[in-house]
Amino acid sequence: MKYSILLFLIGFYSVAFAQKEKKYLAQVNLDGKYGFIDASGHEVIPLIYDDAGIWGNNLVPVNIGKYTPKIDPPSIEVAEPDVIQAENSVESDNEKIVPIKIKEEKGKWGYCNSSGTLVIPAQFTNTTFFNEGMAGVEIDGKWGFINTQGKIVVQPVYDEIGYFSQGLAAVAKNGSYGYINLKGEEVIKLQYIGAKAFENGYALVYENHPSKNNNRTSIGRLINLKGEMVTDAKYCIDIVFLNGLASFLLADSENSLYGLINMKGQIVAPPIYFEILDFSDGLARVMVYKRDKIYNEYTPNFGYIDSKGKEIVKPVFATAESFNYGKAVIARFDDKDDGELDHALINTKGEFILGFNWRQLILIDNQHLLASIKNKYETLLINSQGKKIQSFGDNGLATLGNGLSVITNTNDEPIAFIGVDKKISIDLSKSKNRKFVSYQFGLIRFQYLSSNYEESRNIKLGLLDLKDNVIIEPKYNEISDFVPTVRP
């Protein structure tokens, strides 16, 4: 008896630890079958599933039996005589035939852990990812929630569900939305026409609100964890940002202009912008329309505002990118009708780091940019002070992500790497038949180039490290990004 209890405790703590231990795995696909690999190239979850979902709590939804009906008419399957007799089928002179029934179902869903074990059997019509120890499952057309042991905690009685965040999940019946807690109790009444997940103590919900001045029939409003309204019905909330601000429109205005509002329902920036994008490095990109002096047309003009609504950079530029490393590339209009713009680099104070002397600027990392000078078609690597480091002539560029880019020749062959502070030992003179696709975690997804048309239609992906070691020879149709098995 003591041994049984000890084994039970060991198993319990092993499961609990496994749910907290974070791994990074990439989904792979080959000929319609799905699995997962780790950074060493090992198939942690073999390619035996017909579909797969998103990781959470070290569990991932997997599908068995997903089926796409064929266009061809039903065929006939010839069965062996002894099998036919066992099924009591009608016998012909030489053989017996059984019609194939065309399946219409989408298979069943279960959950696999990060060690590759199917720990929750495939039994559900549909599923969602795990978050806060709970996942949504569909049974007989209704949705409920299970825990990480596969036990139904919230009975499947809902038409739609969201995911648990901050202890609450959005659910819906008959078109009315509200929130339940981890016990399945409806703690915020089902009364809205739409609802999103809670973040930082607030959630965006939607109410009916027909307007006489525009075509709007509903508005977005903010509620807190108690279900209390934070914003007035005269404001229609659009996007909730992570810094405690949200964009909004005036619910009954004829204009679709955006401003900023805080979680207390106070206006931070008036609704004067046609667009407010997400914040980066403390600044949000904004856009207004202004009449062009030359063509007498309204064109987009971009600038930046801070979290207090102050215009750090007035919206007067033709383009403006999001800030990275405390820098952003902007471009201005000019008087030439050549379709090109003059580019510059600014900091978060709106001060110029590089002036409008560039036909193109691409920020690679904190210290490097790819650039070309006005009136020249030459790709340069420069530092943040504008000093030339290297010239690549008129060759092409492929951004691999995560700080690494590759210069390619006219045959799409790699000739030089740019960026990333790690030492790269790949001999590009021996990589003429390779195409580098993307970079993450010290690994490059790559393909073998082919001049054969039929082969090029079925090019496979593999993994290569920065020391020129092939981790996986190209064999997969797809290799996704490596993602954590535990959601942040």
Side-chain angles (χ1 to χ4, degrees), residues 64-69 102-108:
I64 298 175
K66 182 179 178 181
Y67 182 82
T68 303
I102 299 295
K103 298 180 181 180
E104 297 293 341
E105 70 269 15
K106 298 180 180 178
K108 297 294 183 182

Side-chain angles (χ1 to χ4, degrees), residues 335-450:
D335 298 332
K336 301 175 184 177
D337 187 17
D338 56 6
E340 294 185 359
L341 299 172
D342 299 335
H343 291 77
L345 187 69
I346 61 173
N347 62 21
T348 54
K349 295 180 180 180
E351 300 167 338
F352 282 85
I353 301 172
L354 298 177
F356 287 107
N357 303 315
W358 309 90
R359 186 175 62 86
Q360 185 182 36
L361 282 175
I362 300 174
L363 191 62
I364 297 177
D365 56 33
N366 188 35
Q367 297 294 330
H368 301 93
L369 299 95
L370 282 174
S372 58
I373 303 174
K374 288 193 299 184
N375 303 320
K376 290 186 178 181
Y377 291 88
E378 177 186 14
T379 301
L380 302 173
L381 176 64
I382 63 174
N383 63 19
S384 56
Q385 288 76 47
K387 183 179 179 180
K388 175 181 172 182
I389 297 175
Q390 190 174 354
S391 172
F392 299 103
D394 59 353
N395 289 297
L397 168 73
T399 300
L400 305 181
N402 297 294
L404 185 63
S405 299
V406 62
I407 298 294
T408 58
N409 61 21
T410 54
N411 295 322
D412 209 19
E413 297 170 336
I415 57 176
F417 284 112
I418 298 176
V420 86
D421 55 3
K422 297 180 180 179
K423 185 177 180 181
I424 302 174
S425 304
I426 297 175
D427 186 351
L428 291 178
S429 67
K430 298 180 180 179
S431 298
K432 296 299 183 182
N433 67 331
R434 292 173 177 167
K435 178 181 180 181
F436 299 128
V437 178
S438 60
Y439 170 76
Q440 186 193 23
F441 288 158
L443 297 172
I444 298 175
R445 295 180 187 85
F446 78 103
Q447 303 169 332
Y448 287 127
L449 295 171
S450 176

Side-chain angles (χ1 to χ4, degrees), residues 129-159:
F129 58 83
F130 269 97
N131 202 52
E132 297 188 355
M134 302 276 274
V137 295
E138 183 184 11
I139 302 174
D140 297 329
K142 296 291 183 179
W143 285 88
F145 286 89
I146 61 172
N147 60 20
T148 53
Q149 284 73 47
K151 179 182 177 182
I152 294 179
V153 178
V154 179
Q155 292 298 318
V157 296
Y158 296 104
D159 301 324

Side-chain angles (χ1 to χ4, degrees), residues 5 10 26 56 65 86 111 236 249 260 312 334 349 356 378:
I5 294 174
I10 292 173
Y111 291 86
C236 178
L249 307 99
L260 284 179
I312 302 301
D334 59 21
K349 295 180 180 180
F356 287 107
E378 177 186 14

Side-chain angles (χ1 to χ4, degrees), residues 82-102:
D82 57 340
V83 176
I84 298 299
Q85 292 169 7
E87 295 181 353
N88 296 318
S89 299
V90 179
E91 185 176 356
S92 65
D93 293 338
N94 300 319
E95 61 186 13
K96 297 193 170 60
I97 57 177
V98 179
I100 292 179
K101 293 182 179 180
I102 299 295

Side-chain angles (χ1 to χ4, degrees), residues 299-319:
T299 57
N301 283 245
F302 295 91
Y304 301 89
I305 59 175
D306 64 15
S307 58
K308 296 180 180 179
K310 181 181 178 181
E311 285 188 351
I312 302 301
V313 178
K314 298 290 183 182
V316 296
F317 297 108
T319 64

